[in-house]
Amino acid sequence: MNCLRKQSTGDVSVEVNACPGPDLRQILEDLRCQYETLIARNRKEVEDWYECKIEEVNREVITSGQEVETCNNQVTELRRQLQALEIDLQAQLSQRNNLESSLAETECQYNTLLGELQNQITCVEQQLAEIRAEIECQNQEYKTLLDVK
């Protein structure tokens, strides 16, 4: 047993005579340099694109802000005009109401005056009718007197 143990626990040494393989460390270093260059170039392109987009957005914000300010000014001016027109409308309505009231009073006065004139005309017509009747009567009497003469 001891002999077998000595045989199985022995040291084995293997030497390989092969040509040296490619230097993986150098290849990895070259790949890393290529990727870092590519990353740096992509980062620069993205930063440039980002700066361009930010500049465009800032210009749009400024333009939009100016448009909003212009629109606000127009709205304010239109509100002023609306208020002025409403005041003018109220003044015109008040003037119209005053004129309608004055017209109604004038019509009432003229209707009263017309009624009085109608009454006077009726009285004068009655007096005229009475005078005619008297004249007719006197004319009849005069004719009778003339006939008697």
Side-chain angles (χ1 to χ4, degrees):
M1 283 283 257
N2 280 338
C3 263
L4 283 174
R5 271 189 203 148
K6 283 184 185 181
Q7 281 181 356
S8 63
T9 58
D11 287 334
V12 177
S13 147
V14 177
E15 287 185 27
V16 177
N17 286 337
C19 66
D23 187 11
L24 293 177
R25 206 174 268 191
Q26 183 61 38
I27 293 172
L28 288 175
E29 187 66 31
D30 290 344
L31 282 174
R32 186 180 334 124
C33 284
Q34 288 175 1
Y35 280 120
E36 285 176 356
T37 304
L38 184 62
I39 289 170
R41 187 175 63 225
N42 286 342
R43 180 178 289 135
K44 177 69 175 147
E45 288 175 3
V46 168
E47 286 176 356
D48 291 344
W49 177 83
Y50 176 77
E51 290 296 324
C52 180
K53 289 298 177 181
I54 289 295
E55 189 175 312
E56 286 178 17
V57 168
N58 285 337
R59 276 183 284 184
E60 288 177 9
V61 166
I62 290 171
T63 304
S64 297
Q66 291 171 347
E67 288 175 0
V68 166
E69 187 176 334
T70 301
C71 290
N72 284 337
N73 290 339
Q74 287 177 347
V75 166
T76 302
E77 182 60 30
L78 289 173
R79 282 185 181 150
R80 283 188 200 131
Q81 290 177 359
L82 176 64
Q83 287 176 345
L85 290 172
E86 285 178 346
I87 289 170
D88 189 36
L89 175 65
Q90 292 301 322
Q92 294 295 329
L93 289 174
S94 176
Q95 184 179 9
R96 187 193 76 185
N97 290 338
N98 290 338
L99 289 173
E100 285 177 349
S101 174
S102 176
L103 178 64
E105 289 176 13
T106 304
E107 284 178 350
C108 184
Q109 289 174 355
Y110 280 115
N111 285 337
T112 304
L113 184 60
L114 184 63
E116 290 174 2
L117 288 175
Q118 282 290 11
N119 287 338
Q120 288 177 358
I121 290 172
T122 303
C123 286
V124 169
E125 284 177 345
Q126 285 176 353
Q127 289 175 357
L128 185 60
E130 290 174 5
I131 291 173
R132 275 191 186 153
E134 283 181 27
I135 290 175
E136 284 291 322
C137 188
Q138 285 178 358
N139 195 12
Q140 283 296 335
E141 287 177 10
Y142 181 70
K143 281 184 184 180
T144 313
L145 282 173
L146 279 179
D147 284 338
V148 171
K149 257 185 169 187

